[in-house]
Amino acid sequence: MDKRYQRIYAAIAAIPAGRVASYGQIAARAGLPGRARLVGTALRDTPDGLGLPWFRVLHADGTIALPRGSRGFREQTKRLRAEGVDVRNGRVPMAAFGLDADLDRALWGLN
DNA sequence: CTACTGACCGCGA
DNA sequence: GTCGCGGCCAGTA
């Protein structure tokens, strides 16, 4: 098993419920800055038996990576909503649900 | 070995 | 909102 993949999986597993993260953020947290694509590759062939919260990973702009209307797309939308994440038109407001939402609130004074 | 692909990203037009 | 472009680099043929 590739050590990089393990770190990526670990980073994904660390996303708290009700929160989402971008591929780039995961890459950075896995010690692989700038390798967002690798996260995509790792996620693509992830055995779903690991109970990995793959659905909490989105594009940097908050859109769902899978093609609209696809099986995975619906599944992801469904699971996110089940956690209370606001999914509108295939997109999640990162400012409110992203990993750095807390930091953002602190910096921008939002709430 | 080269060539192409891609669950990506940020920037500029 | 939509391209296009360059950067990234592991997989695959």
Side-chain angles (χ1 to χ4, degrees), chain A residues 29-96:
Chain A
R29 289 193 169 210
L32 302 165
R35 319 254 193 103
R37 295 193 94 119
L38 185 58
V39 175
T41 306
L43 211 45
R44 190 192 57 205
D45 35 57
T46 294
D48 36 291
L50 301 179
L52 215 62
W54 57 271
F55 53 89
R56 301 208 265 250
V57 185
L58 320 172
H59 280 296
D61 62 3
T63 58
I64 288 177
L66 278 48
R68 281 179 177 273
S70 70
R71 162 65 197 302
F73 179 92
R74 281 190 296 278
E75 180 70 13
Q76 186 162 16
T77 301
K78 180 182 174 183
R79 294 206 184 190
L80 286 175
R81 284 184 175 149
E83 293 188 343
V85 176
D86 184 23
V87 186
R88 298 152 73 143
N89 197 254
R91 192 179 57 229
V92 170
M94 294 300 265

